[in-house]
Amino acid sequence: MPFLILPLLLSGCSMALMDPKGAVGSEIKSLIITSFWLMMIVVIPVIVMTFLFAWRYRNTNYKAKYTPNWAHSNVIESIVWFIPLVIIAFLAVITWQTSHSLNPSAPIQAEEGVEPMEIDVVALDWKWLFIYPDQGIASVNEVAFPVDTPVQFNITSGTVMNSFMIPRLGSQLYAMAGMDNNLYLIANEEGVYPGRSTNYSGAGFSEMLFEAQVTSQEGFEAWVEKVRQSPKSLSFAEGYEELAAPSVAHPVEYFSSVPAELYDNIIMSFKNGTAVQPGHSGGHGGHQAAEQSAHGHDVAMSAEVAE
């Protein structure tokens, strides 16, 4: 009865991974389903055989052959080993292929005439800061981008390690202090999709949520104009320290003016314990300029460098 009731209880739930709204999420869904049914090739026969054996060799079945000295069967050994080996081989091929096709740092090809965009993401206690280097604006706990547009998320942390994820769009990637990780996503349908941290980071972790607003190009431009109407500005020297202070259920907040080097300043503030003040980097046109510290060769560590 519990197994019969469970699907009814789950029928009202919305499973984000099974309802993707982007190309990456769709590939992940396909991978999950394929892997599930490959494993069922072993699981289902084992479950069926468990009941059949229990029934056939029950205490009251006197027709079942009694062989107390039986120890080995080449046929059974072949089946028991061959089928799992075939499944493992299939899973190995799929793992190899999807490890490359679903590589979070692999750029997504844009359609002709569509310009990819870049958004900097900073995990704070317990909120998300989104910086738009090309537009010179920023927002807290709300991110927006056009539909069918590849987005490069540059992800770091201004505090402990977190994990950035928009479940309906696909992959998650860790946000770590002093490191610049890149995640590429695309949304194929307009809508508002919840995002969150998937790595426990303290008391306010459960409220570390944000909304991803996927709109038309015109809708995105209108959102940018709305943000530019905010009287607030944000820089590493002024406002960032106050924003980075721990807060729970932080409201959506907009900043109409943000220096291009803010993201790089946050990364470099963890290099050798010395914060780089605004104006010391060459702006977001390239992280390379900001990655050179007073020693000349200090580089903001990326995930690949760390490995």
Side-chain angles (χ1 to χ4, degrees):
M1 286 299 294
F3 287 104
L4 294 175
I5 295 173
L6 187 60
L8 296 177
L9 295 176
L10 295 177
S11 61
C13 299
S14 177
M15 298 180 64
L17 293 178
M18 294 294 103
D19 185 24
K21 302 299 181 182
V24 177
S26 296
E27 283 196 51
I28 293 175
K29 174 185 175 181
S30 177
L31 174 62
I32 292 173
I33 293 175
T34 301
S35 301
F36 174 81
W37 286 115
L38 280 174
M39 290 184 287
M40 288 302 102
I41 295 175
V42 169
V43 173
I44 292 176
V46 168
I47 294 174
V48 172
M49 289 171 63
T50 299
F51 286 102
L52 290 178
F53 274 59
W55 174 257
R56 177 174 176 78
Y57 296 103
R58 65 191 186 280
N59 188 47
T60 57
N61 185 12
Y62 300 107
K63 294 182 179 179
K65 186 177 180 181
Y66 179 60
T67 54
N69 297 320
W70 181 89
H72 181 75
S73 170
N74 290 330
V75 174
I76 294 176
E77 286 287 334
S78 299
I79 294 174
V80 167
W81 283 101
F82 177 73
I83 295 178
L85 287 174
V86 171
I87 295 173
I88 291 171
F90 273 106
L91 288 173
V93 172
I94 292 172
T95 300
W96 176 267
Q97 293 175 339
T98 54
S99 293
H100 292 83
S101 65
L102 292 174
N103 180 3
S105 60
I108 298 174
Q109 295 298 320
E111 296 182 1
E112 187 176 352
V114 177
E115 288 293 328
M117 70 176 300
E118 192 172 357
I119 301 175
D120 298 331
V121 182
V122 183
L124 300 173
D125 289 330
W126 286 274
K127 50 193 164 292
W128 293 94
L129 171 64
F130 299 97
I131 305 168
Y132 290 75
D134 295 331
Q135 290 77 18
I137 61 175
S139 60
V140 175
N141 286 344
E142 182 178 282
V143 62
F145 47 92
V147 68
D148 295 324
T149 299
V151 181
Q152 175 185 338
F153 291 98
N154 305 308
I155 303 172
T156 192
S157 175
T159 177
V160 299
M161 185 169 70
N162 280 282
S163 184
F164 175 83
M165 187 179 191
I166 306 174
R168 279 196 161 83
L169 298 188
S171 307
Q172 63 88 26
L173 199 65
Y174 287 103
M176 292 173 277
M179 300 178 70
D180 176 25
N181 291 342
N182 304 124
L183 172 66
Y184 290 83
L185 294 175
I186 186 171
N188 300 131
E189 293 183 26
E190 294 184 26
V192 179
Y193 307 123
R196 64 173 302 126
S197 172
T198 59
N199 188 79
Y200 181 73
S201 57
F205 164 74
S206 61
E207 298 295 329
M208 196 170 175
L209 310 171
F210 66 91
E211 285 189 349
Q213 298 189 6
V214 180
T215 66
S216 62
Q217 181 62 40
E218 294 75 16
F220 173 69
E221 292 173 0
W223 182 85
V224 171
E225 287 304 315
K226 181 176 71 172
V227 176
R228 284 177 175 160
Q229 300 304 313
S230 172
K232 300 178 182 178
S233 62
L234 179 68
S235 68
F236 189 74
E238 296 182 6
Y240 174 73
E241 184 176 355
E242 181 181 352
L243 177 64
S247 62
V248 180
H250 194 93
V252 173
E253 193 172 4
Y254 300 137
F255 299 95
S256 58
S257 176
V258 177
E261 66 271 14
L262 175 58
Y263 181 77
D264 299 315
N265 293 155
I266 296 170
I267 291 177
M268 294 304 297
S269 68
F270 292 92
K271 301 297 291 182
N272 300 322
T274 303
V276 177
Q277 295 302 317
H280 286 202
S281 70
H284 199 89
H287 288 167
Q288 181 178 2
E291 289 168 356
Q292 295 176 348
S293 70
H295 295 283
H297 299 288
D298 251 347
V299 178
M301 192 181 299
S302 68
E304 293 179 357
V305 173
E307 291 175 359

